[in-house]
Amino acid sequence: MARFSGKDALQMILDSEEEFTFSSEEDCNSDDERQHFQERIDPAEDKTPVPKRAKANQQASNRQSTLAWKTETDVDMVPQTVRFHPARETGPQLSPVDSHSPMNLFKQFFSESAVSTLCHHTNAQAAKATAKGSKYKWTDISISEMYRYIGLLFYMAMVKVSSISDYWRQSSVFSVPFPATVMSRDRYRTISWNMHMTHPDADMDNDRKRGTTEHDRLFRVKPLMDTIRYAYKSIYHPKRNLAVDERMVACKAHTGMTQYMKAKPTRWGFKLFVLADSSNGYTVDFSVYTGKNNFPTGHGLSYDAVTSLLDLTFLGSGYHVYMQWRS
């Protein structure tokens, strides 16, 4: 069998082009082969006549131009539709035959196990503060009392007064009697002062890493935050259409992570990237923007925010994800 060099093969391709008429698909194949050989041949050894080389270069340029922007006269190519087959039945993952009280539904997100851990870390912080000479009286908080404290926080978020003390003030016609039936004002304050979601010793270890890449700015809230995120995904499976957008949590504390966004109803606070079910607004997952500008994939913050929120089980199962385009 005869053996051909790269330039001989190129010559045969160019010569045959003058004798035959190819389909568009064959043109693409021959152009690919021609470009492949042109890249492998040393220009000093290329004996191809100049007119033929110019013709080959022109055809390669024309082929590349097909990858440019389409015009209004070009026919749109409709992508293949993927059949929607979610890993679980969409909607709430709760038994419809069971009755669910408001408290039972709340415990789906704040389980007794999570609250028990919260109590343990809060008691540890109170013991540490007492050892340092704090004058207030402390009694270890129980799971039931922690639930009452959380319920009081929800009440205060809905019923606004001028100061925390006003929730226990009884000398005004505008006094609110409910908080005093839950716990005393001093007890509420001491719990608030010592509230910890992580162990105080672990907090100190993380604080020593401040200013380095190992420091986690969300360390103090991450245990409870991850518990809630897991609950979001476990008790509900989203429908086909999903949306990724920004959301603000109101806060004006000087944490280094608070953002100002004038276009949002809540302008000051923590910025979240949220994956939501478009049919009802249910939060499927979220992440907190910490102000860091490190992009692990090299594609930028927007790319990382979207890909980090998408569950791998969603990929290839027919979901539609909508987001804002940021140039």
Side-chain angles (χ1 to χ4, degrees), residues 121-171:
H121 295 325
T122 300
N123 291 330
Q125 173 60 25
K128 183 178 179 180
T130 302
K132 288 184 176 181
S134 296
K135 301 301 183 181
Y136 55 80
K137 181 181 179 181
W138 175 260
T139 303
D140 283 353
I141 186 171
S142 63
I143 294 177
S144 59
E145 188 179 20
M146 181 63 77
Y147 274 121
R148 293 198 299 272
Y149 174 83
I150 296 173
L152 198 53
L153 293 179
F154 278 96
Y155 176 84
M156 292 178 175
M158 295 182 291
V159 180
K160 300 292 186 180
V161 296
S162 299
S163 66
I164 295 296
S165 298
D166 288 340
Y167 286 105
W168 283 268
R169 192 182 303 277
Q170 303 296 325
S171 59

Side-chain angles (χ1 to χ4, degrees), residues 10-11 14-15 18 46-57:
L10 175 61
Q11 186 65 49
L14 295 176
D15 292 341
E18 298 178 351
D46 187 8
K47 307 302 182 181
T48 307
V50 174
K52 290 188 177 182
R53 274 189 295 169
K55 181 179 179 181
N57 292 336

Side-chain angles (χ1 to χ4, degrees), residues 191-230:
I191 294 175
S192 299
W193 293 337
N194 294 285
M195 179 61 62
H196 261 61
M197 302 174 194
T198 54
H199 198 279
D201 293 341
D203 291 341
M204 293 179 61
D205 292 338
N206 182 65
D207 291 341
R208 294 190 189 99
K209 302 174 185 177
R210 195 181 302 273
T212 69
T213 56
E214 297 180 357
H215 179 251
D216 188 354
R217 305 182 76 176
L218 296 174
F219 184 82
R220 281 175 164 80
V221 299
K222 184 164 288 185
L224 184 59
M225 184 182 74
D226 288 345
T227 298
I228 297 174
R229 290 178 57 235
Y230 176 78

